[in-house]
Amino acid sequence: MDTEIVAVGGYNEVGRNMTAVRCGKEIVIFDMGIRLDQIMIHEDAEIENMHSLDLIEMKAIPDDTMMNTVEGSVKAIVCTHGHLDHIGAIPKLAHRYNAPIIGTPYTAELIKQQIQGEQKFGVNNKIQVLKAGHRYRISPNLTLEFVKMQHSIIDTVMAVLHTKDGAIVYANDFKLDRTPVIGEPPDFARLRQIGKEGVLALIVESTNIEKSGRCPSERIARDLVRDTITSYEDDKNAIIVSTFSSHIARIKTIAECAHEIGRKPVLLGRSMERYSTAAEQLKLVAFPQSLSVFGNRRTVDRTLRHIMKTGKDKFMPIVTGHQGESGAILTRIAQGDTPYKVEKGDKILFSAKVIPNPMNYGQRHLVETLLKMKGARIFDDLHVSGHAYREDHYELVHLLNPQHIIPSHGNINMTGEYVRFAEECGYTLNNDIHLLRNGQRILLK
């Protein structure tokens, strides 16, 4: 049975991930993501109301029209975790395929929310929940397995497609965190076993391949956050923290630290509400009982007014806006567009790195400058990455010993650097390591 890897999206850029794997006449699609910075360029883009072809034109979602040239029928759409650059295009594209969407419980819940918000298309694909450590029979020839993994969003897995010619491992995105804050460490024993059984191909992210060493554990971020926050238990000034709303482990740490120093943690922002409420309902996290959550803009402003009236030293707002996004809570606070007033000595903690593109750097710089002008003190980089570094990739490659490697999830600098790394591991370009661009495909021999 011939096996073909089709690079639909995420091979020219970070974002809009989508890869198709064709085994004979059966196709499995991995991910359907959006590219957030392309949408941010069009500030008035109401993505829920937009047509998929317009979003393809904007290079905001994968150009899946190329799938018309791939012979065979799609049997499943598989998502390994719930970040928007992996699931955000499902409401726009999934209805074109008569196939179930398969994800972990948390991922499936986030996909359902995405579909509910869609205004343009009706998406009626069955959503199939598959837990880490379990298998799903797609067809007599194909079985999907989810292997326990860590990343900067909970309930992440590595997807393994078992075929007659060996396993195809889809590793977008992952982190080999042996001491996670939420959930269990990756299932190294199972990965080693899959490697012994035989891996035909590894499709792998190249986001942090240029970073030497190992990616620090989320415990390191927890200690950084705790060390900073608990240094100010008697301080009367404000403490505001901004982090990724999908990073439930980090939000749990921040809320616990707030509780420790006698401040009430308050989650503010629509995405904060969406991700944390879903995680709590699925019993994947337990926040301190003192935590409250407000998403609606009017309710957020009312809460900020209440904080100003009661005393900023009694609360710790945990807010969106660490990338300086327009309309996010921290951006609005910096612009003086809320009842919350930043004063001299107030502390703003960024528990997130700037996602590397010029637009984000500019927006973040603007927000920081506005806050500093009001007298705020900035605490930066209380963060560790959710993406594997070079030595983690070395470990994964040697656990799996794949016959072929296809680097993905990156621009040409990143995927090209993965080729250099793979050559250090004994692979050869165009022989068993393959550099693909969006729209290209490779038949595995």
Side-chain angles (χ1 to χ4, degrees), residues 301-348:
D301 283 356
R302 195 161 55 235
T303 307
L304 291 172
R305 195 173 291 113
H306 172 69
I307 291 172
M308 287 300 293
K309 210 156 136 187
T310 313
K312 291 194 283 189
D313 59 323
K314 293 179 174 59
F315 299 88
M316 191 183 297
I318 304 166
V319 300
T320 56
H322 49 81
Q323 304 296 312
E325 314 94 307
S326 64
I329 310 294
L330 189 61
T331 310
R332 290 177 53 223
I333 288 172
Q335 291 167 340
D337 186 26
T338 73
Y340 194 98
K341 299 293 168 258
V342 173
E343 296 154 310
K344 192 171 170 47
D346 285 351
K347 283 164 279 298
I348 315 290

XYZ file of all heavy atoms in Angstrom, residues 301-348:
373
model
N -15.833 45.259 32.879
C -15.679 46.662 33.304
C -16.316 46.904 34.672
O -15.786 47.660 35.492
C -16.277 47.601 32.244
C -15.347 47.754 31.034
O -14.232 47.196 31.086
O -15.737 48.401 30.053
N -17.452 46.246 34.910
C -18.112 46.379 36.215
C -17.204 45.810 37.321
O -17.056 46.387 38.393
C -19.464 45.657 36.191
C -20.360 46.045 37.371
C -21.835 45.731 37.160
N -22.077 44.346 36.817
C -22.737 43.955 35.731
N -23.206 44.834 34.875
N -22.953 42.685 35.495
N -16.559 44.680 37.023
C -15.640 44.052 37.989
C -14.437 44.951 38.245
O -14.002 45.111 39.393
C -15.171 42.672 37.452
O -16.317 41.899 37.126
C -14.329 41.938 38.467
N -13.878 45.532 37.185
C -12.728 46.438 37.341
C -13.103 47.672 38.174
O -12.315 48.154 38.990
C -12.185 46.853 35.968
C -11.504 45.727 35.165
C -11.172 46.197 33.756
C -10.241 45.230 35.869
N -14.321 48.162 37.989
C -14.806 49.304 38.795
C -14.882 48.900 40.275
O -14.461 49.651 41.167
C -16.178 49.752 38.281
C -16.618 51.134 38.800
C -17.904 51.609 38.140
N -17.722 51.939 36.738
C -18.262 51.269 35.713
N -19.033 50.214 35.950
N -18.058 51.626 34.474
N -15.392 47.686 40.509
C -15.515 47.160 41.884
C -14.132 47.014 42.530
O -13.944 47.335 43.713
C -16.237 45.803 41.852
C -16.251 45.084 43.155
N -16.979 45.525 44.235
C -15.594 43.954 43.573
C -16.786 44.697 45.259
N -15.945 43.733 44.873
N -13.143 46.547 41.751
C -11.773 46.389 42.274
C -11.200 47.750 42.677
O -10.582 47.895 43.744
C -10.864 45.680 41.224
C -11.293 44.216 41.063
C -9.394 45.761 41.620
C -10.602 43.476 39.919
N -11.409 48.760 41.832
C -10.907 50.119 42.136
C -11.534 50.647 43.428
O -10.871 51.260 44.265
C -11.230 51.072 40.977
C -10.383 50.867 39.737
S -8.602 51.086 39.984
C -8.508 52.845 40.352
N -12.817 50.377 43.594
C -13.569 50.884 44.750
C -13.152 50.156 46.040
O -12.941 50.765 47.084
C -15.068 50.658 44.500
C -15.971 51.697 45.169
C -17.269 51.733 44.406
C -18.476 51.755 45.290
N -19.694 51.630 44.478
N -12.992 48.813 45.929
C -12.715 47.994 47.113
C -11.238 48.065 47.519
O -10.909 47.945 48.702
C -13.107 46.519 46.832
O -14.400 46.505 46.241
C -13.123 45.683 48.096
N -10.369 48.223 46.539
C -8.925 48.261 46.814
C -8.175 47.278 45.943
O -8.438 46.074 45.980
N -7.234 47.816 45.157
C -6.491 46.981 44.208
C -5.638 45.926 44.908
O -5.314 44.895 44.328
C -5.593 47.860 43.320
C -6.381 48.732 42.353
C -5.506 49.337 41.272
C -4.697 50.509 41.775
N -4.022 51.223 40.669
N -5.289 46.193 46.175
C -4.424 45.263 46.915
C -5.163 43.996 47.355
O -4.544 43.066 47.873
C -3.815 45.956 48.130
C -4.881 46.481 49.092
O -5.926 46.949 48.615
O -4.663 46.408 50.320
N -6.476 43.961 47.150
C -7.258 42.789 47.586
C -7.500 41.791 46.440
O -8.042 40.713 46.653
C -8.605 43.249 48.157
C -8.457 44.034 49.467
C -9.806 44.497 49.986
C -9.664 45.138 51.356
N -8.741 46.307 51.352
N -7.093 42.163 45.228
C -7.383 41.335 44.048
C -6.126 41.115 43.214
O -5.168 41.876 43.300
C -8.434 42.019 43.161
C -9.762 42.235 43.840
C -10.006 43.391 44.587
C -10.774 41.283 43.746
C -11.221 43.596 45.215
C -11.991 41.476 44.372
C -12.219 42.641 45.103
N -6.170 40.073 42.393
C -5.147 39.900 41.373
C -5.823 39.559 40.048
O -6.191 38.413 39.800
C -4.160 38.798 41.739
C -2.943 38.812 40.788
S -1.773 37.489 41.113
C -1.233 37.888 42.750
N -6.020 40.576 39.185
C -6.591 40.299 37.865
C -5.623 39.468 37.014
O -4.424 39.762 36.955
C -6.777 41.696 37.260
C -6.723 42.640 38.422
C -5.800 42.007 39.411
N -6.144 38.399 36.403
C -5.381 37.569 35.458
C -6.045 37.799 34.109
O -7.213 37.455 33.922
C -5.423 36.081 35.876
C -4.910 35.922 37.318
C -4.604 35.228 34.921
C -5.224 34.564 37.945
N -5.314 38.431 33.187
C -5.981 39.035 32.023
C -5.358 38.615 30.692
O -4.211 38.168 30.625
C -5.955 40.588 32.129
C -6.666 41.052 33.387
C -4.522 41.125 32.105
N -6.136 38.818 29.630
C -5.646 38.657 28.256
C -4.871 39.924 27.874
O -5.001 40.956 28.515
C -6.824 38.469 27.292
O -7.723 39.588 27.445
C -7.594 37.202 27.594
N -4.054 39.820 26.815
C -3.405 41.020 26.288
C -1.892 41.035 26.315
O -1.274 42.069 26.039
N -1.248 39.904 26.602
C 0.224 39.886 26.688
C 0.903 40.077 25.342
O 2.101 40.351 25.285
C 0.700 38.579 27.334
C 0.068 37.375 26.735
N 0.513 36.817 25.574
C -1.012 36.647 27.122
C -0.252 35.776 25.273
N -1.192 35.661 26.182
N 0.162 39.928 24.236
C 0.735 40.208 22.915
C 0.386 41.627 22.449
O 0.682 41.995 21.318
C 0.231 39.198 21.877
C 0.488 37.748 22.218
C 1.951 37.379 22.282
O 2.730 37.705 21.391
N 2.349 36.695 23.357
N -0.305 42.378 23.333
C -0.722 43.733 22.960
C -1.881 43.737 21.979
O -2.110 44.719 21.258
N -2.665 42.635 21.947
C -3.777 42.524 20.989
C -4.803 43.625 21.242
O -5.121 43.929 22.382
C -4.501 41.164 21.128
C -3.611 39.956 21.231
C -3.305 39.536 22.657
O -2.852 40.384 23.445
O -3.509 38.357 22.971
N -5.328 44.204 20.165
C -6.329 45.259 20.330
C -7.606 44.643 20.900
O -8.003 43.540 20.522
C -6.631 45.947 18.990
O -7.213 45.040 18.105
N -8.211 45.326 21.849
C -9.451 44.846 22.459
C -9.236 43.930 23.649
O -10.174 43.648 24.395
N -8.004 43.431 23.856
C -7.727 42.572 25.007
C -7.707 43.436 26.280
O -7.504 44.646 26.228
C -6.392 41.855 24.835
N -7.917 42.788 27.439
C -8.098 43.538 28.697
C -6.893 44.409 29.027
O -7.040 45.595 29.318
C -8.382 42.569 29.882
C -9.502 41.576 29.539
C -8.715 43.348 31.151
C -10.866 42.144 29.349
N -5.678 43.830 28.972
C -4.491 44.613 29.364
C -4.269 45.781 28.407
O -3.889 46.876 28.836
C -3.253 43.708 29.402
C -2.002 44.370 29.997
C -2.230 44.795 31.450
C -0.793 43.440 29.906
N -4.526 45.556 27.131
C -4.386 46.641 26.139
C -5.355 47.780 26.469
O -4.976 48.959 26.458
C -4.672 46.095 24.717
O -3.892 44.918 24.514
C -4.339 47.117 23.652
N -6.595 47.419 26.801
C -7.593 48.438 27.148
C -7.227 49.171 28.439
O -7.407 50.380 28.542
C -8.982 47.785 27.279
C -9.553 47.324 25.932
C -10.885 46.608 26.093
N -11.814 47.414 26.843
C -12.621 46.958 27.804
N -12.601 45.678 28.144
N -13.430 47.770 28.434
N -6.675 48.430 29.419
C -6.234 49.076 30.671
C -5.113 50.072 30.370
O -5.120 51.205 30.846
C -5.769 48.009 31.696
C -6.976 47.244 32.256
C -4.986 48.649 32.850
C -6.622 46.041 33.130
N -4.143 49.641 29.534
C -3.003 50.505 29.182
C -3.471 51.771 28.456
O -2.914 52.859 28.648
C -2.020 49.732 28.311
N -4.507 51.622 27.637
C -5.014 52.770 26.861
C -5.972 53.647 27.665
O -6.484 54.636 27.142
C -5.713 52.254 25.605
C -4.753 51.642 24.590
C -5.468 50.864 23.492
O -6.624 50.458 23.640
N -4.768 50.632 22.390
N -6.236 53.266 28.929
C -7.166 54.045 29.768
C -8.610 53.844 29.358
O -9.460 54.711 29.577
N -8.896 52.680 28.773
C -10.224 52.410 28.217
C -11.082 51.554 29.162
O -12.034 50.927 28.732
C -10.029 51.701 26.858
C -11.337 51.501 26.113
O -12.270 52.293 26.347
O -11.433 50.546 25.324
N -10.712 51.495 30.447
C -11.492 50.745 31.447
C -11.558 51.578 32.731
O -10.798 52.538 32.886
C -10.832 49.386 31.798
O -9.669 49.658 32.595
C -10.436 48.591 30.575
N -12.419 51.193 33.676
C -12.471 51.919 34.956
C -11.227 51.689 35.825
O -11.063 52.336 36.845
C -13.718 51.341 35.646
C -14.489 50.637 34.586
C -13.487 50.178 33.589
N -10.359 50.729 35.419
C -9.177 50.393 36.222
C -8.048 51.353 35.895
O -7.676 51.512 34.731
C -8.753 48.959 35.898
C -7.768 48.351 36.880
C -8.198 47.513 37.893
C -6.394 48.588 36.765
C -7.309 46.932 38.782
C -5.496 48.021 37.642
C -5.962 47.195 38.653
O -5.073 46.631 39.535
N -7.501 52.001 36.881
C -6.432 52.987 36.661
C -5.101 52.448 37.183
O -4.986 52.071 38.345
C -6.759 54.309 37.370
C -8.047 54.973 36.863
C -7.912 55.463 35.420
C -9.245 55.857 34.813
N -9.819 54.881 33.907
N -4.102 52.422 36.303
C -2.749 52.003 36.696
C -2.030 53.204 37.280
O -2.056 54.301 36.712
C -1.977 51.435 35.480
C -0.524 51.156 35.835
C -2.648 50.169 34.970
N -1.402 52.987 38.443
C -0.713 54.082 39.144
C 0.735 53.711 39.424
O 1.129 52.559 39.271
C -1.444 54.390 40.461
C -2.864 54.913 40.224
C -3.803 54.650 41.394
O -3.862 53.494 41.877
O -4.474 55.604 41.806
N 1.507 54.688 39.852
C 2.937 54.497 40.126
C 3.148 53.347 41.114
O 2.490 53.295 42.152
C 3.502 55.793 40.708
C 5.021 55.846 40.772
C 5.479 57.241 41.154
C 6.952 57.301 41.481
N 7.847 56.651 40.564
N 4.015 52.425 40.760
C 4.325 51.301 41.647
C 3.499 50.054 41.397
O 3.798 48.983 41.941
N 2.449 50.162 40.580
C 1.656 48.970 40.243
C 2.527 48.003 39.424
O 3.362 48.433 38.616
C 0.410 49.356 39.431
C -0.664 49.995 40.301
O -0.512 49.978 41.538
O -1.653 50.513 39.734
N 2.314 46.714 39.641
C 3.164 45.705 39.010
C 2.384 44.940 37.934
O 1.288 44.458 38.193
C 3.694 44.731 40.069
C 4.833 45.336 40.879
C 5.129 44.587 42.140
C 4.166 44.952 43.260
N 4.220 46.364 43.652
N 2.983 44.864 36.750
C 2.394 44.112 35.636
C 3.325 42.950 35.327
O 4.490 43.150 34.981
C 2.218 44.992 34.368
C 1.621 46.363 34.702
C 1.409 44.244 33.315
C 0.182 46.369 35.129
